Amino acid sequence: MSQEGAPLDEISFSDFLDDYYAECDEHLMGARRLLLALETSIGRGPVNRSVLDELFRHFHSLKGISGMVELRAAEQLAHHLEDYLRVLRAGEAEPTRDGLDALFAGTQTLEQVIAARRAQMPLPPIDAIGSRIAQLIAMDAAPGVAQPPLADAASRAPLGARRWHISFSPSQELMARGIRVDTIRQRLAGAGEILSAAPRVTADGAIAFDFVFTGRVDAATIAAWQGDGVQIEPAEGTGGIAPGAVSDPLPLDTDSPVSPAILAPSHVVRVDLTRLDDLMRNVGDLVISRARLGETLGRVERRLAPAEWRSIQENVLALDLQVRTLREGIMRVRLVPVGEIFRRMPFVVRDLAGETGKRVRLELKGQATEVDKFLIERMMDPVLHLVRNAVSHGIETADERIAAGKRPEGTIVLSAVSAGDVVRIEIADDGRGVDATAVVARARAGGLPVPAGSPDAATLLSLICAPGFSTRELSDRASGRGVGLSVVKSAVDELSGAMYLESEPGVGTTFILDLPVTLAITDALIARAGGDTFAVPQGSVREVIEVATAAMLQVERNEMIAYRGGALPIVRLSQLFQTGEAARDRLHVFVVGTGSGALGIAVDRIIGQREIVVRTITDPLVRVAGIAGATDLGDGHVVLILDPAVLARQMRDRPSRTYTAGGLGR
Amino acid sequence: MTGATATTGLGSYILFSVSGTTYALPTAEVRHMEMIEDITRVPNAPSFVDGVVFSRGQVVPVVNLRARFGFDRVPHDLRTRLIVVQAESRVVGLLVDAAREFVSIPADAVQPPHEALAGMSGRYVEGVASIGDRLILILNLQRILNFADPLPADPAA
């Protein structure tokens, strides 16, 4: 891949690679889904032809796009898979158990090859799986119709078609017209078959793509293509075929649609998460500007005629509403269905069940449940781990299950349901349940402190989640890997979630994860009070005002300010939290709560606004009323997050200024 | 409580010093040790809690053992350590003057604390071991972390 890193002005090769990986993901995902569908239909009469067709197209596309990035191993493997599908489509063979296993294995290897290329790691070998598939083809194909290997691909051109050398040089002008290398590839794929494709860097440092293509192309088409930056010339020879060779139909008839994933009008836009983050930051800036505008307006209010002032106020209120709607809209864009992680699981379960020789059925529920993109990325591993755990530790072998009077096939139910701010994910199996005696013995042997008496579910959970704990002596490749469930626990902790265990011997085990939908990230105003920094969740702040200390009235032991025609009690954070106080003649005040519960929290100044990751504070030693959690502003230093609602409630219920420790804030 | 001593003949301990005295905790209860950096004060927390720090992604309270045992606080120096311990599901950091030694103590070398020894830290001591001419006080982690326990300044108890 000598082109990589070459200076390319208009089209960066790495952008192109990103597109490639994204497209691979789609095709691999599609292929897996179809393979699973195929599996359920085995032995139940004729296979649905459209499933085979679609599967074929996925592999065909993978071959094509892999060729364009010169990932030869992937191209070759996809080609093998495609060839086998070709045989199956031609009706020459029924998909067998072996055949399906080979397709699964091939898809898995293909995925590994692509992932390795992406991570710039050495590619896994493909020869074994390649020859396994080739063997199947040789066995299944009609006698004398052995499929030619990849090198001979060019000789498989259909009769009457010609071979062409085509080269395409992308340019900004073409891009503006919507013509990219993908466009050309689709065009070619629609008119025949792409035999090879490769990028190259031209003498002037631009990038170009060379295709060898076979198909029927008339003069008008050639002219049209040439207008779109395509150079086309006939290749030597006419792509003649060895007599009697190919009996299968053209993979993609000119009148049949190309990959639906490519041509179907998509209603989904793929957006880079950092762009959403940028947008979110922009909204944050807007919020701050809005606060500044409020300050300025406050100063000019007296100089305006009441009617003018009213109309400004109306506009400001409308602006507030719009800012909030915009913010919520962007938060919604970040929500993705948990199906995104769930749909990978059938594949995982299938692989693992195969390795462990168990029979496992996976049920998915509530895939449409939405959670923040931030969370879904971090949920993937814990869920994956628990599903693996259920297969390798929960579900018994078929023999054991029969002996226990159960159906030979175990069931794992993976479900998601959202309740308010929390999404509950359950991984339930109908296996053997957690063996409390074994867990306790194992924990003791590992030197973990074990409370006396028979452990309850919570104790069992804390034991099996302890670092280094594993009930299996050998860390099996499935779920063990020597890390056990402690990684799940720490991932859940990090997301401010909670984890529960329900288990009954012989009946099954359920792991329950309660995770925040969006709560883990929130927008906050960052404020200084005395020497300390605090974060205040923006959602709980109604308004930020600037107040002159001279304007604060002392009423008994409380301070008040005039606010919207009434009095607003003020609590100074520096006094409440004894942070020490710098003498200032102006303070920033967060207005929280409404009506009689409204409260102003005075800080020295607001130093910024940003998105924060909320971490819970769980230890009773530091669980203090009015503190909702902690966050890190990027320097590793803990910044406490205020809970204005609790502060306001406490103010109302207890007018005294003293706050005692140990009140359970939340 | 300390399963390591109860079930085996030899317990593994980590030694640390607080105000000139050597204390020990079973290594099984210790997750790891850290140099101490910025501690964020938590308003209205118990007096012996210096605040919170992040330790491996988790918010961990910092218990100042000097304060817990009723000694004066001293400024942190290069030898100051945070011993991050785990007690059931709780993870807490203990701030000590210095810590750097692991020892194995035979179970029969551990004696119950003597009446006369019940000084400031006496109520947190589970046993006393003498290794050579050194006296080592083995601590009961639960009691140190127990919030409801009267503070050292309290003359009751």
Side-chain angles (χ1 to χ4, degrees):
Chain A
M1 200 120 281
S2 55
Q3 298 83 337
E4 212 178 51
L8 302 168
D9 288 342
E10 321 299 0
I11 298 110
S12 125
F13 197 73
S14 69
D15 278 357
F16 179 69
L17 274 178
D18 283 347
D19 282 350
Y20 165 70
Y21 294 128
E23 210 173 319
C24 283
D25 279 350
E26 276 172 21
H27 288 300
L28 286 167
M29 191 73 81
R32 291 165 155 204
R33 194 168 39 77
L34 292 163
L35 284 173
L36 288 169
L38 201 56
E39 182 174 45
T40 57
S41 70
I42 270 190
R44 293 184 193 168
V47 169
N48 186 343
R49 164 82 193 216
S50 71
V51 170
L52 293 178
D53 285 355
E54 220 182 308
L55 200 51
F56 175 86
R57 288 193 190 106
H58 282 304
F59 290 131
H60 184 72
S61 301
L62 282 164
K63 182 185 76 171
I65 59 181
S66 298
M68 283 204 302
V69 299
E70 290 199 316
L71 185 47
R72 294 294 171 221
E75 181 187 15
Q76 212 168 325
L77 191 49
H79 186 85
H80 284 310
L81 292 162
E82 180 192 11
D83 271 347
Y84 185 40
L85 257 296
R86 197 193 311 271
V87 173
L88 294 177
R89 282 169 87 221
E92 289 158 17
E94 277 289 299
T96 58
R97 188 74 244 176
D98 279 357
L100 200 62
D101 281 344
L103 285 173
F104 269 113
T107 308
Q108 198 176 23
T109 311
L110 185 56
E111 187 177 18
Q112 286 162 354
V113 167
I114 292 162
R117 173 68 181 81
R118 188 175 203 169
Q120 305 195 332
M121 306 277 285
L123 302 184
I126 61 159
D127 296 347
I129 182 67
S131 54
R132 182 170 157 198
I133 295 169
Q135 226 167 4
L136 282 166
I137 294 172
M139 266 167 24
D140 289 343
V145 197
Q147 292 298 304
L150 180 63
D152 297 340
S155 67
R156 283 187 294 104
L159 288 166
R162 291 197 67 179
R163 268 213 295 168
W164 306 87
H165 278 158
I166 287 167
S167 111
F168 171 70
S169 309
S171 72
Q172 205 160 33
E173 181 252 333
L174 289 169
M175 282 258 270
R177 285 166 48 200
I179 297 164
R180 307 168 47 147
V181 63
D182 286 352
T183 328
I184 300 303
R185 188 166 57 79
Q186 284 166 32
R187 244 184 230 180
L188 295 178
E193 190 180 5
I194 299 167
L195 299 174
S196 78
R200 81 183 140 86
V201 174
T202 62
D204 53 354
I207 194 166
F209 295 88
D210 291 330
F211 299 89
V212 177
F213 164 79
T214 173
R216 268 167 243 169
V217 182
D218 59 25
T221 312
I222 292 175
W225 285 1
Q226 280 171 338
D228 290 341
V230 173
Q231 291 172 317
I232 177 165
E233 55 187 42
E236 278 99 77
T238 52
I241 317 159
V246 181
S247 63
D248 60 319
L250 240 194
L252 296 166
D253 302 327
T254 40
D255 56 349
S256 77
V258 194
S259 167
I262 298 173
L263 287 191
S266 169
H267 297 291
V268 176
V269 180
R270 212 184 289 128
V271 180
D272 192 359
L273 200 54
T274 56
R275 290 192 193 171
L276 278 184
D277 290 344
D278 286 346
L279 270 183
M280 204 66 202
R281 233 186 328 276
N282 292 344
V283 173
D285 292 344
L286 192 58
V287 170
I288 292 190
S289 298
R290 161 68 191 89
R292 294 211 181 106
L293 176 66
E295 282 175 31
T296 316
L297 286 176
R299 284 199 290 276
V300 300
E301 179 180 355
R302 267 165 295 159
R303 285 185 248 153
L304 294 174
E308 278 179 294
W309 175 245
R310 246 197 321 279
S311 107
I312 288 177
Q313 282 295 83
E314 275 164 22
N315 285 325
V316 167
L317 283 179
L319 181 66
D320 279 351
L321 187 66
Q322 285 153 6
V323 170
R324 199 172 314 127
T325 312
L326 180 61
R327 200 182 100 78
E328 285 166 4
I330 291 174
M331 288 307 281
R332 258 201 312 281
V333 171
R334 295 175 55 104
L335 295 182
V336 288
V338 290
E340 199 166 289
I341 55 175
F342 278 17
R343 64 185 170 176
R344 292 174 189 263
M345 298 303 159
F347 210 70
V348 171
V349 167
R350 194 200 166 277
D351 284 351
L352 195 52
E355 279 171 24
T356 53
K358 294 175 181 176
R359 291 174 59 189
V360 185
R361 194 169 58 89
L362 179 69
E363 263 179 48
L364 302 180
K365 289 182 182 168
Q367 295 189 69
T369 310
E370 289 188 318
V371 297
D372 193 283
K373 180 77 182 159
F374 175 90
L375 275 145
I376 207 126
E377 286 169 2
R378 286 157 181 79
M379 267 164 57
M380 179 75 183
D381 281 346
V383 172
L384 188 66
H385 205 96
L386 288 173
V387 167
R388 282 181 169 148
N389 187 70
V391 178
S392 52
H393 299 306
I395 303 288
E396 315 90 327
T397 62
D399 292 347
E400 285 170 327
R401 290 182 65 87
I402 293 166
K406 294 177 173 180
R407 293 177 45 208
E409 185 185 55
T411 303
I412 296 173
V413 181
L414 178 57
S415 64
V417 58
S418 66
D421 286 344
V422 174
V423 58
R424 167 166 288 200
I425 301 206
E426 291 192 6
I427 299 97
D429 68 59
D430 64 349
R432 58 170 72 94
V434 175
D435 182 346
T437 321
V439 166
V440 168
R442 174 77 192 162
R444 287 231 168 84
L448 298 169
V450 181
S454 71
D456 58 7
T459 311
L460 278 181
L461 182 66
S462 76
L463 289 177
I464 59 180
C465 288
F469 181 90
S470 171
T471 44
R472 292 284 157 101
E473 290 297 326
L474 298 168
S475 74
D476 56 304
R477 60 187 285 203
S479 54
R481 296 212 176 101
V483 285
L485 291 173
S486 63
V487 288
V488 176
K489 176 81 176 119
S490 56
V492 170
D493 283 347
E494 221 162 285
L495 295 175
S496 302
M499 185 171 171
Y500 307 99
L501 170 74
E502 287 170 3
S503 180
E504 201 174 322
V507 177
T509 305
T510 303
F511 283 96
I512 299 166
L513 307 182
D514 278 351
L515 298 169
V517 177
T518 53
L519 204 72
I521 38 170
T522 184
D523 277 297
L525 295 160
I526 313 298
R528 299 278 297 174
D532 292 344
T533 305
F534 296 93
V536 186
Q538 212 167 297
S540 57
V541 176
R542 259 175 64 206
E543 195 176 2
V544 177
I545 49 180
E546 200 183 46
V547 174
T549 41
M552 293 166 80
L553 312 164
Q554 192 79 25
V555 180
E556 294 182 344
R557 295 187 59 199
N558 300 311
E559 284 181 303
M560 306 246 174
I561 56 161
Y563 174 73
R564 298 203 171 178
L568 179 73
I570 299 287
V571 52
R572 295 195 196 208
L573 206 56
S574 53
Q575 288 172 5
L576 184 62
F577 288 162
Q578 295 129 41
T579 56
E581 195 166 15
R584 302 181 74 88
D585 45 359
R586 299 190 79 79
L587 296 173
H588 277 130
V589 173
F590 298 108
V591 182
V592 301
T594 51
S596 63
L599 173 73
I601 300 170
V603 296
D604 293 350
R605 67 204 157 89
I606 292 169
I607 55 175
Q609 182 273 352
R610 53 179 297 175
E611 200 170 49
I612 57 168
V613 178
V614 180
R615 296 179 195 278
T616 44
I617 293 183
T618 49
D619 198 276
L621 286 174
V622 283
R623 210 158 50 187
V624 172
I627 302 288
T631 190
D632 174 1
L633 298 184
D635 56 1
H637 183 70
V638 181
V639 169
L640 298 177
I641 303 168
L642 295 188
D643 190 335
V646 170
L647 289 177
R649 201 163 51 234
Q650 290 219 335
M651 257 327 255
R652 195 176 58 233
D653 298 346
R654 243 190 334 190
S656 119
R657 272 223 209 109
T658 49
Y659 282 72
T660 49
L664 303 185
R666 301 168 68 98
Chain B
M1 173 54 229
T2 49
T5 46
T7 53
T8 65
L10 210 61
S12 169
Y13 292 85
I14 188 159
L15 298 190
F16 53 92
S17 64
V18 177
S19 195
T21 307
T22 304
Y23 296 91
L25 275 173
T27 46
E29 293 177 347
V30 176
R31 278 189 149 192
H32 59 272
M33 283 195 284
E34 290 179 10
M35 301 277 284
I36 190 66
E37 288 175 29
D38 246 351
I39 301 175
T40 299
R41 205 180 62 88
V42 176
N44 302 327
S47 62
F48 57 86
V49 173
D50 281 6
V52 286
V53 293
F54 279 127
S55 170
R56 308 197 173 168
Q58 220 176 335
V59 183
V60 172
V62 176
V63 169
N64 187 319
L65 278 194
R66 277 184 159 267
R68 187 56 164 148
F69 295 162
F71 302 116
D72 288 336
R73 284 182 165 86
V74 293
H76 303 166
D77 60 25
L78 284 175
R79 301 192 329 134
T80 310
R81 289 290 178 278
L82 189 71
I83 304 180
V84 180
V85 296
Q86 176 145 23
E88 288 170 17
S89 64
R90 291 174 67 183
V91 178
V92 177
L94 304 178
L95 194 67
V96 301
D97 293 350
R100 45 162 193 266
E101 233 180 313
F102 291 90
V103 292
S104 291
I105 303 177
D108 54 18
V110 182
Q111 307 292 320
H114 196 271
E115 288 280 321
L117 203 121
M120 289 292 211
S121 59
R123 67 172 62 83
Y124 309 113
V125 174
E126 177 158 282
V128 179
S130 25
I131 303 276
D133 56 353
R134 267 198 314 186
L135 207 59
I136 295 163
L137 306 188
I138 298 169
L139 291 172
N140 181 319
L141 188 58
Q142 291 295 339
R143 266 180 249 160
I144 293 172
L145 301 185
N146 193 347
F147 189 34
D149 213 31
L151 302 186
D154 195 334

